[in-house]
Amino acid sequence: MSKKIAEYVNFIFRNAPNTREAMELKEEIENNVSDKYDKLVAGGLDEEQAFSKAIASIGNIDELLDELKRSVAQESSAVKEFPAAESENRQKKGACHKICVNGIS
């Protein structure tokens, strides 16, 4: 049944960004669902009922996935700004190097 749980969790994360945070969340959800399933089976439910209840316990994760996507978009935006800032820093370092090596003219 753990394979079926993993397949379901993979399915709901199919559009998640490929980030460390998304992978950690996916792993946490899969572990929680597996634990819930095991407890339900130990409590007397048959495997299919336990699977259905464990999966239902996930609830709607659309908001979590949307937040992960927004986070990636913000990071991507910050990375796009980085090259311009890096170029400016190189120019300043070059000017400082010129002053230090050649002295102030």
Side-chain angles (χ1 to χ4, degrees), residues 81-94:
E81 294 172 9
F82 178 76
E86 183 63 23
S87 175
E88 184 178 319
N89 284 339
R90 280 193 204 123
Q91 289 173 352
K92 288 178 183 176
K93 285 179 184 176

Side-chain angles (χ1 to χ4, degrees), residues 13-33:
F13 273 82
R14 70 192 178 283
N15 294 322
N18 189 20
T19 63
R20 181 179 52 83
E21 292 84 5
M23 293 297 142
E24 288 174 355
L25 179 61
K26 180 177 153 185
E27 184 178 312
E28 182 181 346
I29 288 174
E30 187 175 333
N31 289 336
N32 289 343
V33 171

Side-chain angles (χ1 to χ4, degrees), residues 4-20:
K4 191 173 178 180
I5 291 170
E7 288 173 354
Y8 183 81
V9 173
N10 284 333
F11 175 76
I12 62 175
F13 273 82
R14 70 192 178 283
N15 294 322
N18 189 20
T19 63
R20 181 179 52 83

Side-chain angles (χ1 to χ4, degrees), residues 43-102:
L45 288 180
D46 69 47
E47 291 182 355
E48 285 305 315
Q49 289 175 324
F51 175 79
S52 294
K53 284 194 173 213
I55 292 301
S57 73
I58 295 173
N60 187 338
I61 65 163
D62 289 342
E63 287 183 29
L64 288 172
L65 295 176
D66 287 345
E67 181 60 34
L68 287 171
K69 289 174 187 174
R70 279 193 296 275
S71 177
V72 168
Q74 288 171 348
E75 288 174 13
S76 176
S77 174
V79 168
K80 288 178 185 173
E81 294 172 9
F82 178 76
E86 183 63 23
S87 175
E88 184 178 319
N89 284 339
R90 280 193 204 123
Q91 289 173 352
K92 288 178 183 176
K93 285 179 184 176
C96 288
H97 178 73
K98 188 175 183 181
I99 291 171
C100 292
V101 171
N102 300 329

